[in-house]
Amino acid sequence: MTSREQIVTAALRRLNEEPNASMAALAEAAGVSRATLHRHFAGRQELTVAIGRLAQERWERALDEAGVDEAAASGDPARIEATLRDLLATLADVAHEYGYALTEHGLESDPELVARFERLEARELALYGAAQRAGVLRDDMPVRWVSNAVYGLLIGVRDSLRWGDVARRDVTRLLVETFLTGTGARA
Amino acid sequence: MTSREQIVTAALRRLNEEPNASMAALAEAAGVSRATLHRHFAGRQELTVAIGRLAQERWERALDEAGVDEAAASGDPARIEATLRDLLATLADVAHEYGYALTEHGLESDPELVARFERLEARELALYGAAQRAGVLRDDMPVRWVSNAVYGLLIGVRDSLRWGDVARRDVTRLLVETFLTGTGARA
DNA sequence: ATCATCTGCGACATTGATGTCTCACATGAT
DNA sequence: ATCATGTGAGACATCAATGTCGCAGATGAT
């Protein structure tokens, strides 16, 4: 791991705890002098964008490994549902590890990041849409609502783990079941 | 409405759009000079805390008007469910109007705000717990997860409205149904 | 008319974070 | 031994946001 990568991951860890940590704090977290931090990243913006990219790569890998595109194209309900559950399970981890990137607003100012975000989101929307057509998800909800609901629940996951409200091994089940069948008791 | 209140509501409106807006921007949004803003609020902290208090008052009113405590104490499933639906509908509005307070981290540094937050949260947790015991909500989920899921979905509501993904008149139904029965199609 | 109060305006001081620079030291390759 | 490279330490400059102050004009009550 290059020192640049070490800095990014250390900064992410620190920012997950304190989103407004100063560059000095991030340097300290990386075990590096402030000057060295600036040698690798011209400014805070550059560093946070690097973190954003890292998060997106992780997200993209989650989509790839779950086989989102193929499942969406297949139209096979069983396969779509399995993929969906698989994806959500992985996204729970991503939310936990990259929570900072999940909630930070400043990242929207980087066009490259925004563009990639939209591509990734589109792939997810395609899966949700396919799930609706295949009868896996109810089709009387806007796809974008479904997407935003997932996003919100992922923030719930992040907070639950942050505050220690829920054990890590339970959180996947809670997320998936809440998303698919809600919190209501079966009639 | 006193000018102090006008400033708070204008600042809230502005911060809902741009959470990092400067004091100068907030003064402008309130149609007031920067000096006048500082005459009313010694610093940014004081202003954001005032906003936080406002949001909490709104939240408290939502709990009161829905009759959360009485419903929880009654143990009556029908009443609890009606109260729950009612509460969520109101909270959707609160999330829309007070989104800034919903996501801003800096508010956690004010002890008074934190204390009141915990009291309000406790009332909600009591309702969720009662709902679980009454068979309205499934009882195999930690109450705190339920609470965090609501919180997350409210962020989903906020974003959906912010980006125009969902019409305001639809969002209540989407929230309530997603929360209670999930996004999955009925088997 | 007079007085109290609030406000806009603009100048000024402060502050905390940020970015830059220099120099000395450590490491490792040749 | 020498050289290249990367780093720590600390001084320094900069900058944007923040907070303060004084003065003059507006408003409104008596």
Side-chain angles (χ1 to χ4, degrees), chain A residues 154-175:
Chain A
L154 287 176
I155 291 182
V157 164
R158 165 177 158 78
D159 287 345
S160 294
L161 293 174
R162 237 155 84 95
W163 314 134
D165 292 339
V166 171
R168 189 161 182 183
R169 68 174 177 285
D170 295 332
V171 84
T172 294
R173 180 194 122 242
L174 292 169
L175 169 65

Side-chain angles (χ1 to χ4, degrees), chain A residues 19-20 103-106 108 117 121 135-142 144-146 148-153 155-163 165-166 171 173-175 177-186, chain B residues 19-20 103-106 108 121 135-142 144-146 148-153 155-163 165-166 170-171 173-175 177-186:
Chain A
N20 296 321
T103 52
E104 177 60 22
H105 295 288
E108 298 160 20
F117 173 89
E121 193 186 32
V136 173
L137 295 184
R138 43 193 295 183
D139 62 358
D140 61 343
M141 289 177 166
R144 292 197 173 273
W145 162 256
V146 176
N148 288 336
V150 169
Y151 171 74
L153 288 174
I155 291 182
V157 164
R158 165 177 158 78
D159 287 345
S160 294
L161 293 174
R162 237 155 84 95
W163 314 134
D165 292 339
V166 171
V171 84
R173 180 194 122 242
L174 292 169
L175 169 65
E177 295 192 2
T178 300
F179 176 67
L180 287 179
T181 65
T183 62
R186 345 179 176 192
Chain B
N20 295 321
T103 53
E104 176 60 21
H105 296 288
E108 299 161 18
E121 193 187 30
V136 173
L137 295 184
R138 43 191 295 182
D139 62 357
D140 61 342
M141 288 178 167
R144 292 199 172 273
W145 162 256
V146 176
N148 287 336
V150 169
Y151 171 74
L153 287 174
I155 292 182
V157 165
R158 164 175 157 76
D159 287 345
S160 293
L161 293 175
R162 235 154 83 94
W163 306 335
D165 291 339
V166 171
D170 294 332
V171 83
R173 180 193 123 244
L174 292 170
L175 170 64
E177 295 193 2
T178 300
F179 177 68
L180 287 179
T181 64
T183 61
R186 345 180 175 187

Side-chain angles (χ1 to χ4, degrees), chain A residues 57-120:
Chain A
E57 283 163 15
R58 182 83 180 77
W59 182 11
E60 184 164 31
R61 205 155 6 107
L63 295 175
D64 289 342
E65 289 175 2
V68 164
D69 305 328
E70 301 81 349
S74 78
D76 172 19
R79 182 172 175 187
I80 288 177
E81 180 170 345
T83 300
L84 199 49
R85 288 174 180 271
D86 200 23
L87 176 64
L88 289 175
T90 309
L91 287 184
D93 287 337
V94 178
H96 180 48
E97 291 159 24
Y98 295 85
Y100 168 73
L102 198 66
T103 52
E104 177 60 22
H105 295 288
L107 302 181
E108 298 160 20
S109 53
D110 185 83
E112 189 189 331
L113 236 42
V114 171
R116 189 169 184 187
F117 173 89
E118 285 170 359
R119 283 201 307 276
L120 295 174

